[in-house]
Amino acid sequence: MATFFGEVVVAPSRAGLDEEEEAREETPEDREIRREIEKKRYRRRREVDVLWSWQAGGRAEEPLVCSSFVVAIGRNAAAFLSSFILDSVCWEVVGVVKLWNEWCRTSSTTNVLPTDSFCLFYRLISDPTVLLCQCSCYVAEDQQFQWLEKVFGCMQKKGLQVTILSTCPVADYKTQESTLTLASPFLKALKTKEFQEEVCCPLLEQPNIVRDLPAA
């Protein structure tokens, strides 16, 4: 019997079990070993791997010197980068993020290929200290800290300016006006206290917030 609406109940069946399997009962020790194996497999599949084209492994010996790092998160932001910034020969692919979750399953190969990942890093050929990240894949909650730790762990933090581009539905925007009268799309900004330059658009009003990887 289902304990709540929508629960999937699997009918018990002993079909396909031979006499030896029927006779064998799982001991508490067996169950503990099985749980530990499942945990290890789960953690391994949830790992986030960052691979740079100039590395054999996933971590640089020296921090990457970077003055400007632009990260486009989500399909719309990634498409904006493709259409207005990356549509030239001025950029080269230099890195990739490999991850696996419920909505994104990238290949386990170790090659940096644009067709092999939904999260790519580009470097400006004329100025190698300028990097772009085009992240159109879903990064799960339990993978966001790994993503940040491994990506920014490769970079020199001093003098680094980070710009995040992301989008959200107009229906999620909280305002006293009717969202039907808003000019869409529109641009709002959030900034840290360290950012002293002029912001190119109005600031995001309270109680609006950002979520997921952009917030992290």
Side-chain angles (χ1 to χ4, degrees):
M1 179 180 294
T3 57
F4 61 89
F5 178 74
E7 180 182 5
V8 178
V9 180
V10 180
S13 173
R14 303 183 69 84
L17 296 178
D18 56 27
E19 295 181 357
E20 182 178 348
E21 289 176 326
E22 290 182 3
R24 183 177 182 273
E25 294 183 1
E26 188 178 45
T27 65
E29 291 79 9
D30 293 335
R31 286 194 293 270
E32 182 65 25
I33 292 172
R34 179 170 52 81
R35 281 195 295 265
E36 289 300 320
I37 292 175
E38 289 175 352
K39 287 180 183 178
K40 289 180 180 179
R41 288 176 178 170
Y42 179 80
R43 286 195 297 266
R44 190 175 297 116
R45 292 202 311 185
R46 305 290 287 195
E47 281 292 320
V48 176
D49 295 317
V50 179
L51 179 66
W52 301 97
S53 59
W54 56 82
Q55 299 171 357
R59 189 176 182 86
E61 295 180 0
E62 296 293 334
L64 177 65
V65 178
C66 184
S67 61
S68 181
F69 184 38
V70 180
V71 187
I73 301 174
R75 295 185 181 276
N76 292 332
F80 175 82
L81 277 191
S82 294
S83 300
F84 296 100
I85 299 179
L86 293 172
D87 189 20
S88 68
V89 294
C90 301
W91 302 88
E92 59 178 346
V93 178
V94 293
V96 67
V97 174
K98 306 282 187 178
L99 54 85
W100 191 101
N101 57 48
E102 295 83 356
W103 301 103
C104 179
R105 301 181 183 183
T106 58
S107 171
S108 60
T109 60
T110 57
N111 296 323
V112 178
L113 297 175
T115 58
D116 194 37
S117 175
F118 298 100
C119 190
L120 296 170
F121 298 97
Y122 296 84
R123 179 169 59 184
L124 185 62
I125 296 175
S126 60
D127 184 358
T129 66
V130 178
L131 292 180
L132 299 181
C133 177
Q134 196 177 33
C135 183
S136 59
C137 64
Y138 171 72
V139 181
E141 289 184 2
D142 61 338
Q143 295 176 319
Q144 292 169 11
F145 179 76
Q146 278 193 73
W147 196 98
L148 295 168
E149 185 181 45
K150 293 189 176 182
V151 170
F152 286 97
C154 302
M155 299 181 183
Q156 182 177 307
K157 310 298 188 300
K158 186 177 180 180
L160 173 61
Q161 179 176 303
V162 181
T163 304
I164 309 294
L165 304 176
S166 66
T167 60
C168 68
V170 176
D172 292 345
Y173 180 63
K174 296 176 178 60
T175 177
Q176 294 181 349
E177 304 178 49
S178 170
T179 55
L180 297 177
T181 62
L182 292 173
S184 180
F186 57 88
L187 188 64
K188 298 286 183 176
L190 287 175
K191 69 182 185 69
T192 62
K193 61 182 180 181
E194 286 79 12
F195 186 81
Q196 301 298 327
E197 300 178 22
E198 185 178 354
V199 180
C200 64
C201 61
L203 295 177
L204 185 66
E205 308 90 345
Q206 294 182 350
N208 292 286
I209 60 173
V210 292
R211 298 180 175 87
D212 302 322
L213 188 59

